[in-house]
């Protein structure tokens, strides 16, 4: 599924709920022009931006990637066959491989993330919780004022509303499982309570 398909799904959801581009853009912390470009498939937004749009529409992130196929009750993803959401990962710092987008009603959104040496550092904050499990490479992962050195087999679980930062250690790419977990009582997944921040990343242009 490309940016145009994602944008069409976003527009369809918005129109079905009778909401304007302006209203959703304001709620998501975006400009009207940016949201309009996303709906037209003219930009490739990072996951953090799509999370904010999903929260503004009060839907699951997976609904942006939905197809006409029947809903599944089990998702099997062979190694390396997850859906790549950010093909230009070097631009935003992350390459996202989604592992269970088509599973409806889930409270967690699992990805395999890859960060390469030289990718720009960033700072993030959003609602919910996160679980990290390192697969390969080394990563300096900061949560609040604490910094942890994560290597293969290490894990980290934290409140994602705290500012968190990533930086690759060494010359090998860092690959890890990341699960975004919705801890709210609402049906919307990954609903941010405040606008995420991304420092030092070109993705800032999408805010």
């Amino acid at each position: 599924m490309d940016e145009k398909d994602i944008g069409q799904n976003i527009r369809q959801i918005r129109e079905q709920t009778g909401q304007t581009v302006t209203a959703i853009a304001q709620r998501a912390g975006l400009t009207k022009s940016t949201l309009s470009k996303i709906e037209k498939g003219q930009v490739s937004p990072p996951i953090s931006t799509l999370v904010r749009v999903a929260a503004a529409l009060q839907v699951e992130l997976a609904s942006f990637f939905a197809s006409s196929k029947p809903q599944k009750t089990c998702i099997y993803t062979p190694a390396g066959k997850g859906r790549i959401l950010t093909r230009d990962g070097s631009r935003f710092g992350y390459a996202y491989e989604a592992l269970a987008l088509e599973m409806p009603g889930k409270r967690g959104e699992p990805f395999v993330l890859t960060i390469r040496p030289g990718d720009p550092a960033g700072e993030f904050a959003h609602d919910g919780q996160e679980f990290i499990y390192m697969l390969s490479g080394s990563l300096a992962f900061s949560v609040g004022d604490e910094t942890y050195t994560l290597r293969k087999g290490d894990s980290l679980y934290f409140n994602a509303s705290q500012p968190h930062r990533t930086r690759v250690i060494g010359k090998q790419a860092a690959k890890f499982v990341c699960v975004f977990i919705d801890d709210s009582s609402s049906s919307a997944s990954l609903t941010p309570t405040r606008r995420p921040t991304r420092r030092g990343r070109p993705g800032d242009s999408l805010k």
Side-chain angles (χ1 to χ4, degrees), residues 129-148:
Q129 302 171 349
E130 269 188 52
F131 173 71
I132 304 293
Y133 181 83
M134 291 296 297
L135 300 175
S136 61
S138 298
L139 194 66
F141 203 107
S142 300
V143 180
D145 296 328
E146 297 289 334
T147 299
Y148 305 88

Side-chain angles (χ1 to χ4, degrees), residues 2-177:
D2 59 20
E3 287 79 10
K4 187 174 182 180
D5 292 327
I6 295 170
Q8 288 177 344
N9 282 344
I10 293 173
R11 183 174 67 249
Q12 183 178 31
I13 293 169
R14 179 182 57 76
E15 291 177 345
Q16 287 176 344
T17 57
Q19 302 183 78
T20 66
V21 173
T22 300
I24 297 302
Q26 290 178 344
R27 206 173 300 158
L30 302 170
T31 65
K32 179 180 178 180
S33 173
T34 294
L35 182 56
S36 179
K37 289 178 181 178
I38 292 174
E39 289 191 352
K40 293 176 182 177
Q42 296 176 347
V43 295
S44 177
I47 290 296
S48 60
T49 297
L50 293 179
V51 166
R52 288 151 57 189
V53 176
L57 289 167
Q58 296 185 318
V59 297
E60 295 181 359
L61 176 64
S63 63
F64 295 165
F65 304 89
S67 66
S68 58
K69 298 178 182 178
Q71 289 188 341
K72 299 182 178 181
T73 58
C74 178
I75 302 295
Y76 165 67
T77 305
K81 298 299 183 180
R83 186 179 300 176
I84 303 300
L85 299 187
T86 306
R87 288 166 293 281
D88 51 352
S90 61
R91 179 184 177 192
F92 299 120
Y94 284 0
Y96 293 81
E97 181 184 356
L99 302 179
L101 274 179
E102 296 179 355
M103 185 69 185
K106 57 185 175 294
R107 305 289 286 188
E109 198 73 64
F111 295 90
V112 171
L113 271 64
T114 303
I115 306 178
R116 293 169 293 276
D119 280 343
E123 181 174 305
F124 308 86
H126 51 85
D127 195 16
Q129 302 171 349
E130 269 188 52
F131 173 71
I132 304 293
Y133 181 83
M134 291 296 297
L135 300 175
S136 61
S138 298
L139 194 66
F141 203 107
S142 300
V143 180
D145 296 328
E146 297 289 334
T147 299
Y148 305 88
T149 299
L150 302 181
R151 299 183 176 87
K152 181 179 179 179
D154 292 341
S155 64
L156 190 65
Y157 195 112
F158 60 95
N159 185 334
S161 65
Q162 301 178 84
H164 44 286
R165 299 166 293 281
T166 59
R167 179 175 57 84
V168 174
I169 299 174
K171 298 181 179 180
Q172 180 184 357
K175 180 178 286 188
F176 54 98
V177 173

